[in-house]
Each structure stands twice: as structure tokens, then as C-alpha cells.
Short mmCIF file of all heavy atoms in Angstrom, two decimals:
data_model
loop_
_atom_site.label_atom_id
_atom_site.label_comp_id
_atom_site.label_asym_id
_atom_site.label_seq_id
_atom_site.Cartn_x
_atom_site.Cartn_y
_atom_site.Cartn_z
N MET A 1 15.94 27.49 6.73
CA MET A 1 17.01 28.43 6.87
C MET A 1 16.95 29.04 8.27
O MET A 1 15.91 29.53 8.68
CB MET A 1 16.89 29.50 5.79
CG MET A 1 17.82 30.63 6.05
SD MET A 1 18.12 31.90 4.82
CE MET A 1 16.81 31.97 3.72
N PRO A 2 18.04 29.05 9.03
CA PRO A 2 18.05 29.65 10.37
C PRO A 2 17.76 31.14 10.32
O PRO A 2 18.16 31.83 9.37
CB PRO A 2 19.47 29.40 10.86
CG PRO A 2 19.99 28.29 10.01
CD PRO A 2 19.29 28.43 8.69
N GLN A 3 17.07 31.63 11.32
CA GLN A 3 16.71 33.04 11.40
C GLN A 3 17.26 33.62 12.71
O GLN A 3 17.22 32.95 13.74
CB GLN A 3 15.19 33.20 11.36
CG GLN A 3 14.54 32.67 10.12
CD GLN A 3 14.89 33.46 8.88
OE1 GLN A 3 15.10 34.66 8.94
NE2 GLN A 3 14.98 32.78 7.75
N PRO A 4 17.74 34.88 12.70
CA PRO A 4 18.30 35.47 13.92
C PRO A 4 17.24 35.86 14.95
O PRO A 4 17.55 36.02 16.12
CB PRO A 4 19.05 36.69 13.41
CG PRO A 4 18.34 37.05 12.15
CD PRO A 4 17.88 35.75 11.55
N ASP A 5 16.00 36.03 14.52
CA ASP A 5 14.91 36.37 15.44
C ASP A 5 13.59 35.98 14.79
O ASP A 5 13.58 35.36 13.73
CB ASP A 5 14.93 37.86 15.80
CG ASP A 5 14.84 38.77 14.57
OD1 ASP A 5 14.13 38.43 13.60
OD2 ASP A 5 15.48 39.83 14.57
N ASP A 6 12.46 36.34 15.43
CA ASP A 6 11.17 35.92 14.89
C ASP A 6 10.51 36.94 13.96
O ASP A 6 9.37 36.78 13.57
CB ASP A 6 10.21 35.53 16.01
CG ASP A 6 10.02 36.63 17.04
OD1 ASP A 6 10.34 37.80 16.74
OD2 ASP A 6 9.55 36.32 18.14
N ALA A 7 11.25 37.98 13.56
CA ALA A 7 10.71 39.01 12.67
C ALA A 7 10.31 38.43 11.30
O ALA A 7 9.40 38.96 10.64
CB ALA A 7 11.71 40.15 12.49
N PHE A 8 10.96 37.36 10.88
CA PHE A 8 10.64 36.78 9.57
C PHE A 8 9.20 36.29 9.49
O PHE A 8 8.65 36.16 8.41
CB PHE A 8 11.60 35.62 9.25
CG PHE A 8 11.30 34.35 10.01
CD1 PHE A 8 10.54 33.36 9.42
CD2 PHE A 8 11.75 34.18 11.30
CE1 PHE A 8 10.26 32.19 10.11
CE2 PHE A 8 11.48 33.02 12.00
CZ PHE A 8 10.73 32.02 11.39
N MET A 9 8.57 36.04 10.63
CA MET A 9 7.20 35.53 10.64
C MET A 9 6.20 36.53 10.06
O MET A 9 5.13 36.15 9.63
CB MET A 9 6.77 35.15 12.06
CG MET A 9 7.49 33.96 12.61
SD MET A 9 6.89 33.60 14.25
CE MET A 9 7.94 32.28 14.74
N ARG A 10 6.56 37.79 10.06
CA ARG A 10 5.67 38.83 9.53
C ARG A 10 5.81 39.02 8.01
O ARG A 10 5.01 39.69 7.40
CB ARG A 10 5.93 40.16 10.22
CG ARG A 10 5.53 40.15 11.66
CD ARG A 10 5.73 41.54 12.24
NE ARG A 10 5.40 41.58 13.62
CZ ARG A 10 4.19 41.87 14.10
NH1 ARG A 10 3.22 42.15 13.29
NH2 ARG A 10 3.98 41.87 15.40
N ASP A 11 6.85 38.45 7.42
CA ASP A 11 7.09 38.62 5.99
C ASP A 11 6.16 37.71 5.20
O ASP A 11 6.33 36.50 5.15
CB ASP A 11 8.54 38.28 5.67
CG ASP A 11 8.91 38.59 4.23
OD1 ASP A 11 8.02 38.90 3.41
OD2 ASP A 11 10.11 38.52 3.92
N ARG A 12 5.16 38.30 4.56
CA ARG A 12 4.17 37.53 3.82
C ARG A 12 4.67 37.06 2.45
O ARG A 12 3.97 36.38 1.75
CB ARG A 12 2.89 38.35 3.67
CG ARG A 12 2.26 38.66 5.00
CD ARG A 12 0.99 39.43 4.83
NE ARG A 12 0.47 39.86 6.10
CZ ARG A 12 -0.38 39.17 6.85
NH1 ARG A 12 -0.80 38.01 6.46
NH2 ARG A 12 -0.80 39.64 7.99
N HIS A 13 5.89 37.43 2.09
CA HIS A 13 6.44 37.01 0.80
C HIS A 13 7.19 35.68 0.88
O HIS A 13 7.61 35.14 -0.12
CB HIS A 13 7.37 38.10 0.26
CG HIS A 13 6.63 39.36 -0.05
ND1 HIS A 13 6.54 40.40 0.85
CD2 HIS A 13 5.91 39.73 -1.12
CE1 HIS A 13 5.82 41.36 0.33
NE2 HIS A 13 5.41 40.99 -0.86
N LEU A 14 7.38 35.16 2.07
CA LEU A 14 8.07 33.88 2.23
C LEU A 14 7.06 32.75 2.10
O LEU A 14 6.39 32.37 3.06
CB LEU A 14 8.76 33.82 3.59
CG LEU A 14 9.88 34.83 3.81
CD1 LEU A 14 10.35 34.80 5.26
CD2 LEU A 14 11.04 34.54 2.88
N SER A 15 6.94 32.19 0.93
CA SER A 15 5.92 31.18 0.69
C SER A 15 6.12 29.92 1.52
O SER A 15 5.18 29.24 1.86
CB SER A 15 5.86 30.82 -0.80
OG SER A 15 7.10 30.28 -1.21
N GLY A 16 7.34 29.58 1.85
CA GLY A 16 7.60 28.39 2.65
C GLY A 16 7.31 28.59 4.12
O GLY A 16 7.37 27.65 4.90
N TRP A 17 7.01 29.81 4.51
CA TRP A 17 6.76 30.12 5.92
C TRP A 17 5.34 30.64 6.13
O TRP A 17 5.11 31.59 6.86
CB TRP A 17 7.75 31.17 6.42
CG TRP A 17 9.16 30.68 6.44
CD1 TRP A 17 10.14 31.00 5.55
CD2 TRP A 17 9.76 29.77 7.37
NE1 TRP A 17 11.31 30.35 5.88
CE2 TRP A 17 11.10 29.59 6.99
CE3 TRP A 17 9.28 29.10 8.48
CZ2 TRP A 17 11.96 28.76 7.69
CZ3 TRP A 17 10.15 28.27 9.18
CH2 TRP A 17 11.47 28.12 8.77
N ALA A 18 4.38 30.03 5.49
CA ALA A 18 2.99 30.44 5.66
C ALA A 18 2.60 30.28 7.13
O ALA A 18 2.96 29.28 7.77
CB ALA A 18 2.08 29.60 4.78
N PRO A 19 1.88 31.26 7.70
CA PRO A 19 1.52 31.20 9.12
C PRO A 19 0.82 29.90 9.54
O PRO A 19 1.15 29.33 10.57
CB PRO A 19 0.61 32.40 9.32
CG PRO A 19 0.97 33.35 8.23
CD PRO A 19 1.39 32.49 7.08
N VAL A 20 -0.12 29.43 8.73
CA VAL A 20 -0.84 28.20 9.09
C VAL A 20 0.12 27.01 9.06
O VAL A 20 0.07 26.14 9.94
CB VAL A 20 -2.05 27.97 8.16
CG1 VAL A 20 -2.67 26.61 8.42
CG2 VAL A 20 -3.07 29.08 8.34
N THR A 21 1.02 26.98 8.10
CA THR A 21 2.00 25.90 8.01
C THR A 21 2.95 25.92 9.21
O THR A 21 3.24 24.87 9.79
CB THR A 21 2.80 26.01 6.70
OG1 THR A 21 1.89 25.99 5.60
CG2 THR A 21 3.80 24.89 6.56
N LEU A 22 3.40 27.10 9.58
CA LEU A 22 4.27 27.22 10.76
C LEU A 22 3.55 26.75 12.01
O LEU A 22 4.10 26.00 12.83
CB LEU A 22 4.70 28.68 10.95
CG LEU A 22 5.93 29.13 10.20
CD1 LEU A 22 6.11 30.63 10.36
CD2 LEU A 22 7.16 28.41 10.70
N ARG A 23 2.33 27.22 12.19
CA ARG A 23 1.55 26.85 13.37
C ARG A 23 1.35 25.34 13.43
O ARG A 23 1.53 24.72 14.47
CB ARG A 23 0.20 27.55 13.36
CG ARG A 23 -0.54 27.37 14.68
CD ARG A 23 -2.01 27.44 14.51
NE ARG A 23 -2.46 26.28 13.73
CZ ARG A 23 -3.68 26.11 13.32
NH1 ARG A 23 -4.58 27.02 13.57
NH2 ARG A 23 -4.04 25.05 12.64
N ARG A 24 0.99 24.76 12.32
CA ARG A 24 0.77 23.31 12.26
C ARG A 24 2.05 22.55 12.60
O ARG A 24 2.04 21.59 13.35
CB ARG A 24 0.27 22.92 10.87
CG ARG A 24 -0.15 21.47 10.76
CD ARG A 24 -0.69 21.14 9.37
NE ARG A 24 -1.89 21.92 9.06
CZ ARG A 24 -2.00 22.74 8.01
NH1 ARG A 24 -0.99 22.89 7.17
NH2 ARG A 24 -3.11 23.41 7.79
N GLY A 25 3.18 23.00 12.05
CA GLY A 25 4.45 22.33 12.32
C GLY A 25 4.88 22.46 13.77
O GLY A 25 5.34 21.49 14.37
N LEU A 26 4.72 23.63 14.34
CA LEU A 26 5.08 23.83 15.75
C LEU A 26 4.19 23.02 16.68
O LEU A 26 4.67 22.37 17.61
CB LEU A 26 5.02 25.31 16.11
CG LEU A 26 6.14 26.17 15.53
CD1 LEU A 26 5.81 27.65 15.69
CD2 LEU A 26 7.46 25.84 16.17
N ALA A 27 2.90 23.06 16.44
CA ALA A 27 1.96 22.32 17.29
C ALA A 27 2.17 20.82 17.13
O ALA A 27 2.16 20.07 18.11
CB ALA A 27 0.52 22.70 16.94
N GLY A 28 2.39 20.36 15.92
CA GLY A 28 2.55 18.93 15.67
C GLY A 28 3.86 18.37 16.17
O GLY A 28 3.96 17.19 16.47
N GLY A 29 4.89 19.20 16.28
CA GLY A 29 6.19 18.73 16.74
C GLY A 29 6.47 18.98 18.20
O GLY A 29 7.55 18.65 18.70
N LEU A 30 5.50 19.52 18.91
CA LEU A 30 5.70 19.88 20.31
C LEU A 30 6.14 18.70 21.16
O LEU A 30 7.01 18.82 22.02
CB LEU A 30 4.42 20.50 20.87
CG LEU A 30 4.50 21.18 22.21
CD1 LEU A 30 5.49 22.32 22.17
CD2 LEU A 30 3.13 21.69 22.62
N HIS A 31 5.59 17.53 20.91
CA HIS A 31 5.93 16.35 21.72
C HIS A 31 7.37 15.89 21.50
O HIS A 31 7.93 15.17 22.31
CB HIS A 31 4.96 15.22 21.43
CG HIS A 31 5.10 14.63 20.06
ND1 HIS A 31 4.71 15.31 18.92
CD2 HIS A 31 5.60 13.44 19.66
CE1 HIS A 31 4.97 14.54 17.87
NE2 HIS A 31 5.49 13.42 18.28
N LEU A 32 7.98 16.32 20.41
CA LEU A 32 9.36 15.93 20.11
C LEU A 32 10.37 16.93 20.65
O LEU A 32 11.56 16.74 20.51
CB LEU A 32 9.56 15.83 18.58
CG LEU A 32 8.65 14.83 17.86
CD1 LEU A 32 8.83 14.96 16.36
CD2 LEU A 32 8.97 13.42 18.33
N ALA A 33 9.88 18.00 21.27
CA ALA A 33 10.74 19.12 21.64
C ALA A 33 11.03 19.20 23.13
O ALA A 33 11.13 20.29 23.67
CB ALA A 33 10.07 20.41 21.17
N ALA A 34 11.19 18.08 23.79
CA ALA A 34 11.37 18.10 25.25
C ALA A 34 12.45 19.08 25.70
O ALA A 34 12.25 19.83 26.65
CB ALA A 34 11.69 16.69 25.73
N GLY A 35 13.56 19.13 25.03
CA GLY A 35 14.64 20.05 25.40
C GLY A 35 14.46 21.46 24.89
O GLY A 35 15.25 22.34 25.22
N PHE A 36 13.45 21.67 24.07
CA PHE A 36 13.25 22.97 23.45
C PHE A 36 11.86 23.52 23.69
O PHE A 36 11.36 24.32 22.90
CB PHE A 36 13.50 22.87 21.93
CG PHE A 36 14.88 22.40 21.60
CD1 PHE A 36 15.12 21.07 21.29
CD2 PHE A 36 15.95 23.27 21.62
CE1 PHE A 36 16.39 20.62 20.99
CE2 PHE A 36 17.23 22.84 21.32
CZ PHE A 36 17.45 21.50 21.01
N ILE A 37 11.20 23.11 24.76
CA ILE A 37 9.82 23.51 25.00
C ILE A 37 9.68 25.02 25.10
O ILE A 37 8.71 25.59 24.62
CB ILE A 37 9.24 22.79 26.25
CG1 ILE A 37 7.73 22.88 26.27
CG2 ILE A 37 9.84 23.32 27.51
CD1 ILE A 37 7.06 22.00 25.29
N GLY A 38 10.65 25.69 25.71
CA GLY A 38 10.61 27.15 25.81
C GLY A 38 10.67 27.81 24.44
O GLY A 38 9.96 28.78 24.18
N LEU A 39 11.49 27.27 23.57
CA LEU A 39 11.61 27.81 22.21
C LEU A 39 10.30 27.60 21.44
O LEU A 39 9.83 28.51 20.75
CB LEU A 39 12.77 27.14 21.47
CG LEU A 39 12.97 27.55 20.02
CD1 LEU A 39 13.25 29.04 19.91
CD2 LEU A 39 14.11 26.75 19.41
N TYR A 40 9.72 26.42 21.57
CA TYR A 40 8.45 26.15 20.91
C TYR A 40 7.35 27.07 21.44
O TYR A 40 6.57 27.63 20.68
CB TYR A 40 8.04 24.69 21.08
CG TYR A 40 8.53 23.78 19.98
CD1 TYR A 40 9.88 23.56 19.80
CD2 TYR A 40 7.64 23.16 19.13
CE1 TYR A 40 10.34 22.72 18.80
CE2 TYR A 40 8.09 22.31 18.13
CZ TYR A 40 9.44 22.11 17.97
OH TYR A 40 9.88 21.28 16.96
N ALA A 41 7.29 27.23 22.76
CA ALA A 41 6.27 28.09 23.36
C ALA A 41 6.44 29.53 22.90
O ALA A 41 5.48 30.20 22.54
CB ALA A 41 6.34 28.00 24.88
N HIS A 42 7.68 30.02 22.88
CA HIS A 42 7.92 31.40 22.43
C HIS A 42 7.59 31.55 20.95
O HIS A 42 7.00 32.55 20.54
CB HIS A 42 9.37 31.81 22.66
CG HIS A 42 9.68 33.15 22.09
ND1 HIS A 42 9.27 34.32 22.68
CD2 HIS A 42 10.30 33.51 20.93
CE1 HIS A 42 9.65 35.34 21.93
NE2 HIS A 42 10.27 34.87 20.86
N SER A 43 7.94 30.57 20.15
CA SER A 43 7.66 30.63 18.72
C SER A 43 6.16 30.66 18.46
O SER A 43 5.68 31.43 17.62
CB SER A 43 8.30 29.46 17.98
OG SER A 43 9.70 29.51 18.11
N LEU A 44 5.41 29.82 19.17
CA LEU A 44 3.95 29.84 19.02
C LEU A 44 3.38 31.17 19.47
O LEU A 44 2.50 31.75 18.82
CB LEU A 44 3.32 28.70 19.81
CG LEU A 44 3.39 27.34 19.15
CD1 LEU A 44 3.04 26.24 20.14
CD2 LEU A 44 2.50 27.28 17.92
N TRP A 45 3.87 31.69 20.59
CA TRP A 45 3.41 33.00 21.09
C TRP A 45 3.68 34.10 20.05
O TRP A 45 2.81 34.90 19.74
CB TRP A 45 4.11 33.34 22.41
CG TRP A 45 3.87 34.75 22.82
CD1 TRP A 45 2.77 35.23 23.48
CD2 TRP A 45 4.72 35.86 22.57
NE1 TRP A 45 2.90 36.60 23.66
CE2 TRP A 45 4.09 37.00 23.10
CE3 TRP A 45 5.96 36.01 21.94
CZ2 TRP A 45 4.66 38.26 23.03
CZ3 TRP A 45 6.52 37.27 21.87
CH2 TRP A 45 5.87 38.37 22.41
N ALA A 46 4.92 34.13 19.51
CA ALA A 46 5.28 35.15 18.53
C ALA A 46 4.43 35.04 17.28
O ALA A 46 3.98 36.05 16.72
CB ALA A 46 6.77 35.03 18.17
N LEU A 47 4.18 33.83 16.85
CA LEU A 47 3.37 33.60 15.66
C LEU A 47 1.93 34.06 15.88
O LEU A 47 1.34 34.74 15.03
CB LEU A 47 3.42 32.12 15.28
CG LEU A 47 2.86 31.70 13.94
CD1 LEU A 47 3.59 32.40 12.80
CD2 LEU A 47 2.96 30.20 13.78
N LEU A 48 1.37 33.71 17.03
CA LEU A 48 -0.02 34.11 17.33
C LEU A 48 -0.13 35.61 17.60
O LEU A 48 -1.17 36.20 17.34
CB LEU A 48 -0.55 33.31 18.51
CG LEU A 48 -0.76 31.83 18.21
CD1 LEU A 48 -1.03 31.05 19.49
CD2 LEU A 48 -1.87 31.62 17.21
N THR A 49 0.93 36.23 18.09
CA THR A 49 0.93 37.67 18.28
C THR A 49 0.96 38.39 16.93
O THR A 49 0.27 39.38 16.72
CB THR A 49 2.14 38.10 19.14
OG1 THR A 49 2.03 37.48 20.41
CG2 THR A 49 2.20 39.60 19.31
N ALA A 50 1.76 37.86 16.01
CA ALA A 50 1.86 38.46 14.67
C ALA A 50 0.60 38.24 13.85
O ALA A 50 0.22 39.08 13.04
CB ALA A 50 3.07 37.88 13.93
N PHE A 51 -0.07 37.11 14.06
CA PHE A 51 -1.25 36.76 13.29
C PHE A 51 -2.36 36.31 14.25
O PHE A 51 -2.59 35.10 14.42
CB PHE A 51 -0.95 35.62 12.29
CG PHE A 51 0.17 35.94 11.35
CD1 PHE A 51 1.45 35.47 11.58
CD2 PHE A 51 -0.06 36.73 10.22
CE1 PHE A 51 2.48 35.76 10.71
CE2 PHE A 51 0.97 37.03 9.35
CZ PHE A 51 2.24 36.55 9.60
N PRO A 52 -3.08 37.25 14.88
CA PRO A 52 -4.09 36.90 15.87
C PRO A 52 -5.19 35.97 15.35
O PRO A 52 -5.75 35.18 16.11
CB PRO A 52 -4.68 38.25 16.28
CG PRO A 52 -3.64 39.25 15.94
CD PRO A 52 -2.92 38.69 14.74
N TRP A 53 -5.48 36.03 14.07
CA TRP A 53 -6.52 35.19 13.47
C TRP A 53 -6.10 33.72 13.38
O TRP A 53 -6.91 32.84 13.19
CB TRP A 53 -6.86 35.69 12.07
CG TRP A 53 -5.65 35.82 11.18
CD1 TRP A 53 -4.92 36.95 10.96
CD2 TRP A 53 -5.01 34.80 10.41
NE1 TRP A 53 -3.86 36.68 10.11
CE2 TRP A 53 -3.91 35.37 9.76
CE3 TRP A 53 -5.28 33.44 10.21
CZ2 TRP A 53 -3.07 34.65 8.93
CZ3 TRP A 53 -4.42 32.73 9.37
CH2 TRP A 53 -3.34 33.34 8.74
N LEU A 54 -4.81 33.48 13.56
CA LEU A 54 -4.25 32.15 13.33
C LEU A 54 -4.79 31.09 14.29
O LEU A 54 -4.88 29.92 13.92
CB LEU A 54 -2.73 32.23 13.44
CG LEU A 54 -1.91 31.07 12.94
CD1 LEU A 54 -2.26 30.72 11.50
CD2 LEU A 54 -0.44 31.38 13.05
N ALA A 55 -5.18 31.49 15.48
CA ALA A 55 -5.70 30.52 16.44
C ALA A 55 -7.01 29.89 15.96
O ALA A 55 -7.37 28.80 16.38
CB ALA A 55 -5.92 31.19 17.79
N HIS A 56 -7.69 30.56 15.05
CA HIS A 56 -8.98 30.08 14.56
C HIS A 56 -8.89 29.50 13.15
O HIS A 56 -9.91 29.07 12.60
CB HIS A 56 -10.00 31.22 14.56
CG HIS A 56 -10.11 31.86 15.89
ND1 HIS A 56 -10.73 31.27 16.96
CD2 HIS A 56 -9.64 33.04 16.34
CE1 HIS A 56 -10.67 32.06 18.00
NE2 HIS A 56 -10.01 33.13 17.66
N ALA A 57 -7.71 29.48 12.58
CA ALA A 57 -7.55 29.04 11.18
C ALA A 57 -7.21 27.56 11.09
O ALA A 57 -6.51 27.01 11.92
CB ALA A 57 -6.43 29.85 10.52
N ALA A 58 -7.73 26.94 10.07
CA ALA A 58 -7.34 25.58 9.67
C ALA A 58 -7.46 24.52 10.75
O ALA A 58 -6.54 23.79 11.04
CB ALA A 58 -5.93 25.59 9.10
N GLY A 59 -8.61 24.42 11.36
CA GLY A 59 -8.87 23.29 12.24
C GLY A 59 -8.68 23.53 13.72
O GLY A 59 -8.38 24.62 14.15
N PRO A 60 -8.83 22.47 14.48
CA PRO A 60 -8.82 22.52 15.94
C PRO A 60 -7.42 22.65 16.53
O PRO A 60 -6.79 21.66 16.91
CB PRO A 60 -9.49 21.20 16.35
CG PRO A 60 -9.15 20.27 15.23
CD PRO A 60 -9.11 21.13 13.99
N PHE A 61 -6.93 23.85 16.61
CA PHE A 61 -5.58 24.14 17.09
C PHE A 61 -5.39 23.75 18.56
O PHE A 61 -4.42 23.10 18.92
CB PHE A 61 -5.32 25.63 16.90
CG PHE A 61 -3.98 26.11 17.36
CD1 PHE A 61 -2.82 25.47 16.95
CD2 PHE A 61 -3.88 27.19 18.19
CE1 PHE A 61 -1.58 25.93 17.36
CE2 PHE A 61 -2.64 27.66 18.60
CZ PHE A 61 -1.50 27.02 18.18
N ALA A 62 -6.32 24.12 19.42
CA ALA A 62 -6.19 23.84 20.85
C ALA A 62 -6.15 22.33 21.12
O ALA A 62 -5.41 21.88 21.99
CB ALA A 62 -7.33 24.48 21.62
N ASP A 63 -6.91 21.56 20.36
CA ASP A 63 -6.92 20.11 20.56
C ASP A 63 -5.55 19.50 20.26
O ASP A 63 -5.06 18.64 20.99
CB ASP A 63 -7.98 19.45 19.68
CG ASP A 63 -9.39 19.81 20.11
OD1 ASP A 63 -9.57 20.23 21.28
OD2 ASP A 63 -10.30 19.67 19.28
N VAL A 64 -4.92 19.97 19.19
CA VAL A 64 -3.60 19.45 18.82
C VAL A 64 -2.59 19.82 19.91
O VAL A 64 -1.78 18.98 20.32
CB VAL A 64 -3.16 20.00 17.45
CG1 VAL A 64 -1.70 19.64 17.15
CG2 VAL A 64 -4.05 19.51 16.34
N LEU A 65 -2.62 21.06 20.37
CA LEU A 65 -1.69 21.48 21.42
C LEU A 65 -1.91 20.67 22.71
O LEU A 65 -0.95 20.25 23.36
CB LEU A 65 -1.85 22.96 21.73
CG LEU A 65 -1.22 23.92 20.74
CD1 LEU A 65 -1.50 25.35 21.15
CD2 LEU A 65 0.27 23.69 20.62
N ARG A 66 -3.14 20.46 23.06
CA ARG A 66 -3.45 19.71 24.27
C ARG A 66 -2.91 18.28 24.18
O ARG A 66 -2.31 17.77 25.12
CB ARG A 66 -4.97 19.68 24.50
CG ARG A 66 -5.37 19.11 25.84
CD ARG A 66 -6.88 19.15 26.06
NE ARG A 66 -7.43 20.50 25.91
CZ ARG A 66 -8.23 20.90 24.89
NH1 ARG A 66 -8.57 20.07 23.93
NH2 ARG A 66 -8.68 22.13 24.83
N GLU A 67 -3.09 17.66 23.04
CA GLU A 67 -2.60 16.29 22.84
C GLU A 67 -1.08 16.22 22.90
O GLU A 67 -0.51 15.34 23.53
CB GLU A 67 -3.09 15.74 21.52
CG GLU A 67 -4.56 15.44 21.46
CD GLU A 67 -5.03 15.07 20.06
OE1 GLU A 67 -4.16 14.72 19.21
OE2 GLU A 67 -6.23 15.11 19.81
N GLN A 68 -0.43 17.15 22.22
CA GLN A 68 1.03 17.13 22.13
C GLN A 68 1.69 17.52 23.44
O GLN A 68 2.74 17.00 23.79
CB GLN A 68 1.52 18.05 21.01
CG GLN A 68 1.04 17.68 19.63
CD GLN A 68 1.46 16.28 19.22
OE1 GLN A 68 2.48 15.77 19.62
NE2 GLN A 68 0.62 15.63 18.43
N ALA A 69 1.09 18.45 24.17
CA ALA A 69 1.67 18.91 25.43
C ALA A 69 1.57 17.85 26.51
O ALA A 69 2.41 17.78 27.41
CB ALA A 69 0.99 20.19 25.89
N GLY A 70 0.55 17.01 26.44
CA GLY A 70 0.38 15.96 27.44
C GLY A 70 1.45 14.95 27.35
O GLY A 70 2.11 14.53 28.24
#
């Protein structure tokens, strides 16, 4: 569902928008987002700002970003 801003990321009642799931999807789809790299970067920033622990959750996040960004 489209969202008008990134405030929805803080709503813990949205089961389909779990922070780890969002992070995984954004990081995994980065290589497909050539025209939307700014949007992906801002979305990842907003997500990590809202959930600082997220960078350390569920596996090697930096490795996935490094692979996809290359």
C-alpha cells in the first residue's frame, strides 16, 4: 500500500511492515533500483533512524548492501 511519508515505519502494529523485513527487502532490491537509488537510500536511512538496533539484526546487513550497491 502506498504511503505519503515514512512515518508508517514506526507503527509496530503493521505486521506486513516488520523492520527486519523492510530492511531485507530494501537491501536485497537495491541493485534493481537504478532510477530510484535516492529513494532507497532515504528509506534505509529513515528505517535505521527509527530502529537503530536494526543494523545489527538478522544477519550481515553491510555485506548485502555492499554486494547490491556494487
Side-chain angles (χ1 to χ4, degrees):
M1 169 169 22
Q3 300 293 327
D5 57 37
D6 56 17
F8 76 96
M9 291 181 184
R10 292 184 182 269
D11 187 351
R12 297 182 187 270
H13 295 95
L14 295 172
S15 62
W17 294 104
V20 173
T21 303
L22 274 173
R23 189 208 67 186
R24 187 178 298 122
L26 287 168
L30 192 60
H31 69 289
L32 301 173
F36 301 98
I37 196 74
L39 177 61
Y40 269 65
H42 174 76
S43 297
L44 281 167
W45 170 83
L47 191 60
L48 292 169
T49 298
F51 303 99
W53 54 265
L54 194 54
H56 306 287
F61 179 52
D63 292 340
V64 172
L65 283 178
R66 189 177 304 110
E67 290 172 17
Q68 298 301 330

